[in-house]
Amino acid sequence: VLLGRPAAPGQSRARSFLAEVKDGQLNLRFGTDAVGVCYGGSSSISWFLNGLLIRKAESKDKDLISSAEKGSLREWAVLGPFKDKDCEALYDITMPIEQKVDFTKEYNGLGGKISWQVFKDQNKKGFAIISFADLFKKYEEVYAYAATHLHVRKKTKVKLYIGTTGLAKVWLNGKEILLDEVNNGLREDEYIIPIELKRGWNMLLLKVCNNWHRAWAFCAGVTNINDKPLKEVTISAYQK
């Protein structure tokens, strides 16, 4: 089972995880540890298991997860909340931000004027989960943006890990690289996207919509193309 690789188009995912055998027994309870809602079918909430493969863990399995966590992007500029309805913002609302980002500009948001603010996750372990719900104290029928910058000394191929609680779009240097149309809760390995960073500064921009659930968040991380920690990279909310 490969971490985060689609088992089939749509909502089916292949997941991998580490488990410990104690006293000769392996106890597993299947549900979801995702943040937010998980939809199955047209309207019902469901979880299902198509198959299970168990093998002895190797050191590379631990290294894969560790590398992604070490590459977690912990510094972001965030902007929101904006008013939405039934996640129409994903398709029908296009802000100038999506063509050109101006971090000095004010916008008409939900409840008045809003501007970009910096979020920095101080934890050094695990994925940094950026909770819009905690930052803005609102979560119903809204959407928001988040941006960060990555600086590399030369053109570099990397893997981008993205997870969101709701529907979302992701751009790299102004080019759309992901359209997430499935509400399946936040997982760090929801999407693993091979991308190429240009020499110098690169901007990653996210737009995350939220309908009604209280969990409204995202996370992102990078590794090199061989699933190792990315070296010689500078991360900053604003381009320095």
Side-chain angles (χ1 to χ4, degrees):
V1 178
L2 299 178
L3 181 67
R5 297 294 180 85
Q11 295 182 342
S12 297
R13 302 283 175 185
R15 302 292 184 191
S16 67
F17 55 89
L18 300 177
E20 184 177 356
V21 176
K22 293 184 177 180
D23 300 325
Q25 292 185 334
L26 177 62
N27 297 312
L28 301 175
R29 180 180 178 183
F30 292 97
T32 178
D33 60 357
V35 177
V37 296
C38 291
Y39 286 113
S42 59
S43 61
S44 62
I45 297 176
S46 62
W47 300 271
F48 55 88
L49 179 67
N50 287 336
L52 180 64
L53 171 66
I54 300 176
R55 63 172 172 80
K56 185 177 180 180
E58 301 175 6
S59 60
K60 65 180 182 180
D61 298 314
K62 297 180 181 179
D63 291 342
L64 176 63
I65 297 174
S66 175
S67 295
E69 290 181 349
K70 289 178 181 177
S72 183
L73 302 179
R74 303 181 183 277
E75 184 173 327
W76 295 83
V78 295
L79 178 69
F82 294 95
K83 181 63 178 175
D84 195 10
K85 182 180 179 182
D86 296 329
C87 294
E88 292 177 353
L90 188 69
Y91 307 102
D92 301 329
I93 301 176
T94 302
M95 295 283 288
I97 298 165
E98 298 171 25
Q99 279 74 48
K100 184 178 181 180
V101 178
D102 184 350
F103 292 105
T104 66
K105 188 176 179 180
E106 286 189 334
Y107 298 86
N108 293 317
L110 181 63
K113 293 287 185 179
I114 58 174
S115 57
W116 291 93
Q117 54 182 299
V118 174
F119 170 87
K120 292 184 179 181
D121 179 74
Q122 302 302 323
N123 297 320
K124 300 300 181 183
K125 297 179 63 177
F127 271 87
I129 296 178
I130 294 81
S131 172
F132 286 131
D134 290 342
L135 289 171
F136 302 136
K137 310 304 179 185
K138 299 180 186 296
Y139 59 86
E140 293 184 352
E141 304 281 19
V142 286
Y143 69 98
Y145 293 92
T148 194
H149 295 78
L150 301 89
H151 185 277
V152 289
R153 295 182 179 180
K154 61 181 180 180
K155 187 184 297 183
T156 307
K157 292 182 178 180
V158 304
K159 288 183 180 179
L160 173 66
Y161 288 69
I162 290 283
T164 71
T165 53
L167 309 187
K169 281 185 179 182
V170 181
W171 297 265
L172 175 65
N173 297 327
K175 180 181 179 180
E176 184 178 315
I177 59 172
L178 174 65
L179 175 61
D180 182 1
E181 300 178 285
V182 180
N183 264 326
N184 58 0
L186 187 151
R187 293 293 301 253
E188 297 91 340
D189 62 335
E190 183 177 359
Y191 295 98
I192 303 178
I193 311 169
I195 59 173
E196 185 172 85
L197 301 177
K198 66 181 183 180
R199 180 178 179 272
W201 285 104
N202 298 262
M203 187 179 73
L204 190 66
L205 176 68
L206 285 81
K207 178 183 187 179
V208 184
C209 304
N210 193 59
N211 196 347
W212 51 266
H213 47 91
R214 292 180 179 272
W216 178 30
F218 75 93
C219 63
V222 291
T223 67
N224 70 17
I225 205 68
N226 297 314
D227 301 311
K228 300 296 183 182
L230 192 61
K231 298 180 180 179
E232 297 183 339
V233 59
T234 301
I235 310 295
S236 177
Y238 301 124
Q239 181 173 319
K240 295 180 179 179

